Amino acid sequence: MATTLYRNGTIYSAADPFATALLIDSDTVAWLGGEEAAERYVEKADEVIDLAGALITPAFVESHTHLAALGRNLGGADLGAASSGSQLLELLSARAKGAESVIIAQGWDETSWVDSSLPSETDLSSAAGGRPYYLARRDVHSALVNRELLDRLGLGSIASGVVRGAEHDQVRQALLAEGPGVEEFQRVALEHYAARGFATVVEMAAPHLEGREALDQLLAADQADHPQVYAYWGELVQEETAAEQLIRSFPQGRVLGLGGDLCVDGSIGSRTALLREDYADDAGNRGLAYLSIEEITAHLVACSSKGIQAAFHVIGDAALDLLLEGFDAAAEQVGVAKLQAARHRLEHAEMVDEATRARLLSYSITVSMQPGFDALWGGPEGMYEQRLGERAATMNNLSAMLSSGVPLVLGSDAPVTEVNGWAVVHAAMSMSNESGRISARAGFMGQTRSTYRAMGEMNPFAGQLLIGAPATFAIWSASELAIQTPDERISSWSTDARAGTPMLPVVDQEIPTCLRTVRAGVLLFDQLDQLNEPTA
């Protein structure tokens, strides 16, 4: 039961905004305060660490990730660096030099290219060395596939080229039988999270993604020296007995609900998000609905009847209309109170107007959003504007969501956007829609305390640093701290200690470096020796 005293730094704690020292007793925060008071603990502590001005915060929580896909990308399957069709061919050729019989890679995004034309199947197959390939778009709602892959998977009725919608799901599910085990990819991804100050991650699993076996392996691993893993399982159910049996088939408390990537629609980039009006760059196309009102209603009734959280992937405004019609129909069967008590959740919800926000609030629906989407695709001439025209200007309004009272958590949807909690904070403060911006504190809480609450965590101290809280935290090298607000009508930052508000890193010019990550007193990642390295 070792004790460690961290001192001479900055502790992010609402309990003591001026704290510079923190005492950890095994897996619990035992004390925090100023330097003078810290002297009392120096002799009693088993270890004393001089922070040399470093910052300690609660560790981040990732609310929406795909670990195996992230691990693949970290291992060389990332096509995101392609800025043209020819560069995509070059990256594919490099990937083809590996040993796999089927080339799986992800991340191309033609909307950022000067010439958005995709390479021909002949050129892609040549770059792949004649091998079958599956090349997912960055949003993973469409993919490039060749005839060799489709024939290998027994899907000869599907046309090669770009596959979307139900055909894309068929390809993904068929690939599960072809692909190697994903344990190593999952491990690499978890280590990546730990090195970036995350102690908890929420995996979005589904039959059409990595499959049940991959999720079972992930939950069974459960190593103390890796981030804690929770999950959602995106399988549709039609009756309450099936919902109860399915949730009980997982380790107790580890699968938070049935849904997550249970898709009502697709994505804007792949033009499969379901819209009220046509796509601006594809007349006559309003996207795809993957679920019917009847299926949505039955799933909600089954889950709500057993107090199980349901969760849905929903992006387009018409998809949200469809989903809420399902909520209305479910309310007629089980009552609004049961729907509210189950704390149902939406992933993404990018196109939400004021009336719809009120409906979300009426059902106590939590929304998980990704500010990094706007950083990638928002703003003038961005992908959102290309696909939606003027409608893009009101998307992803974080501020309106919070001010309306809708519970909000933030994440990355990795590997769609990078694993970087501070980049999420920066994106949330810098949304292209100025009225949608939120403060650094709100962006940080959306990845810490608020995320634990959305998960149903019973410990009220989770995601905070105060006496009695779990010793789950990260240490950061940050050159400047401030109290930051996105409102340009007032000072955008303040370092006045009299404010009595804990300060966070200024992230508009520099992203902090993680030096140590701890979960319940156990080291997940450690480069704290960098504090003592001489500067050039």
Side-chain angles (χ1 to χ4, degrees):
M1 303 293 287
T3 59
T4 303
L5 175 66
Y6 296 91
R7 62 181 306 186
N8 190 29
T10 299
I11 314 301
Y12 183 85
S13 172
D16 186 350
F18 311 114
T20 62
L22 181 72
L23 182 68
I24 301 300
D25 186 351
S26 183
D27 60 355
T28 304
V29 175
W31 171 86
L32 72 164
E35 287 305 307
E36 185 175 344
E39 288 292 337
R40 300 197 304 265
Y41 297 97
V42 170
E43 295 298 325
K44 301 175 184 178
D46 296 297
E47 184 179 13
V48 178
I49 294 176
D50 185 348
L51 292 170
L55 169 70
I56 299 184
T57 71
F60 282 118
V61 181
E62 170 62 84
S63 68
H64 187 125
T65 189
H66 302 275
L67 290 170
L70 174 60
R72 285 193 195 93
N73 273 20
L74 294 171
D78 188 3
L79 303 175
S83 59
S84 65
S86 60
Q87 286 194 359
L88 176 60
L89 293 173
E90 291 174 8
L91 291 172
L92 176 57
S93 179
R95 181 67 176 167
K97 295 176 182 177
E100 63 266 276
S101 56
V102 175
I103 300 171
I104 298 176
Q106 173 187 326
W108 57 270
D109 181 0
E110 82 289 0
T111 62
S112 63
W113 302 351
V114 174
D115 178 0
S116 62
S117 302
L118 295 171
S120 68
E121 182 177 343
T122 299
D123 289 341
L124 287 165
S125 292
S126 177
R131 296 180 184 180
Y133 60 74
Y134 168 85
L135 311 177
R137 197 178 181 281
R138 186 159 194 164
D139 53 34
V140 202
H141 284 275
S142 59
L144 288 162
V145 299
N146 60 355
R147 176 50 49 193
E148 287 82 356
L149 177 75
L150 295 170
D151 290 344
R152 181 186 180 100
L153 299 178
L155 299 174
S157 61
I158 295 177
S160 58
V162 179
V163 290
R164 299 180 176 87
E167 291 184 340
H168 181 230
D169 285 346
Q170 288 181 56
V171 172
R172 288 181 65 92
Q173 288 185 302
L175 275 171
L176 291 177
E178 286 282 320
V182 298
E183 299 98 320
E184 180 63 15
F185 296 136
Q186 292 166 342
R187 182 192 63 78
V188 168
L190 287 171
E191 290 177 353
H192 186 72
Y193 269 105
R196 281 148 183 78
F198 287 80
T200 306
V201 302
V202 179
E203 166 80 349
M204 294 292 153
H208 64 281
L209 298 178
E210 305 294 343
R212 176 66 189 260
E213 183 179 351
L215 179 57
D216 288 341
Q217 292 169 349
L218 178 63
L219 298 178
D222 194 25
Q223 299 180 41
D225 60 349
H226 283 74
Q228 176 70 67
V229 178
Y230 295 92
Y232 284 91
W233 177 244
E235 183 174 341
L236 192 70
V237 293
Q238 297 294 291
E239 59 164 18
E240 58 187 72
T241 301
E244 185 175 40
Q245 290 176 344
L246 185 54
I247 205 75
R248 285 185 175 180
S249 70
F250 296 102
Q252 185 175 5
R254 300 291 299 287
V255 170
L256 303 173
L258 298 180
D261 266 352
L262 182 57
C263 295
V264 179
D265 65 345
S267 73
I268 292 169
S270 291
R271 298 190 187 88
T272 52
L274 188 64
L275 306 181
R276 294 171 181 169
E277 301 175 13
D278 293 358
Y279 280 88
D281 59 353
D282 191 8
N285 179 18
R286 295 192 176 186
L288 300 173
Y290 296 156
L291 298 177
S292 67
I293 292 176
E294 293 74 19
E295 289 173 320
I296 293 168
T297 302
H299 189 76
L300 285 168
V301 168
C303 290
S304 301
S305 298
K306 293 297 182 179
I308 297 169
Q309 188 182 38
F312 298 88
H313 163 113
V314 57
I315 287 182
D317 46 10
L320 195 48
D321 293 340
L322 182 70
L323 179 64
L324 287 171
E325 286 184 50
F327 268 87
D328 293 341
E332 292 179 2
Q333 296 186 43
V334 299
V336 173
K338 279 196 173 182
L339 288 168
Q340 293 173 332
R343 303 177 300 104
H344 299 310
R345 167 172 163 152
L346 306 185
E347 306 300 319
H348 314 311
E350 295 195 75
M351 302 178 70
V352 186
D353 58 25
E354 185 175 353
T356 305
R357 279 188 290 272
R359 295 179 71 189
L360 295 176
L361 184 62
S362 71
Y363 286 118
S364 299
I365 297 172
T366 295
V367 177
S368 164
M369 299 181 73
Q370 293 71 39
F373 288 0
D374 182 79
L376 279 175
W377 300 312
E381 301 182 2
M383 183 271 286
Y384 288 148
E385 188 174 277
Q386 295 175 37
R387 295 285 192 264
L388 303 175
E390 294 180 354
R391 289 169 289 176
T394 59
M395 290 179 60
N396 293 303
N397 194 323
L398 307 180
S399 178
M401 202 72 77
L402 283 174
S403 61
S404 67
V406 175
L408 177 67
V409 297
L410 304 178
S412 71
D413 195 10
V416 178
T417 72
E418 66 176 325
V419 175
N420 191 319
W422 298 116
V424 170
V425 170
H426 181 250
M429 294 180 65
S430 311
M431 303 294 287
S432 55
N433 172 12
E434 293 185 8
S435 65
R437 297 172 181 173
I438 59 177
S439 68
R441 181 173 180 269
F444 183 73
M445 287 187 64
Q447 300 177 83
T448 51
R449 186 180 180 185
S450 297
T451 312
Y452 280 116
R453 287 183 174 181
M455 291 164 54
E457 170 59 56
M458 299 303 293
N459 187 342
F461 295 165
Q464 302 181 77
L465 291 179
L466 66 167
I467 296 173
T472 299
F473 57 91
I475 303 178
W476 307 91
S477 175
S479 60
E480 183 179 8
L481 305 178
I483 300 163
Q484 302 155 83
T485 168
D487 193 339
E488 295 181 354
R489 294 171 299 177
I490 60 177
S491 175
S492 62
W493 59 276
S494 169
T495 56
D496 189 345
R498 292 173 298 180
T501 301
M503 296 185 289
L504 288 168
V506 176
V507 293
D508 56 352
Q509 295 180 348
E510 177 187 15
I511 296 295
T513 299
C514 184
L515 301 173
R516 175 175 283 191
T517 307
V518 177
R519 172 167 75 93
V522 177
L523 273 176
L524 308 187
F525 170 78
D526 191 23
Q527 288 192 348
L528 204 57
D529 56 357
Q530 290 187 2
L531 282 173
N532 302 316
E533 290 182 358
T535 57

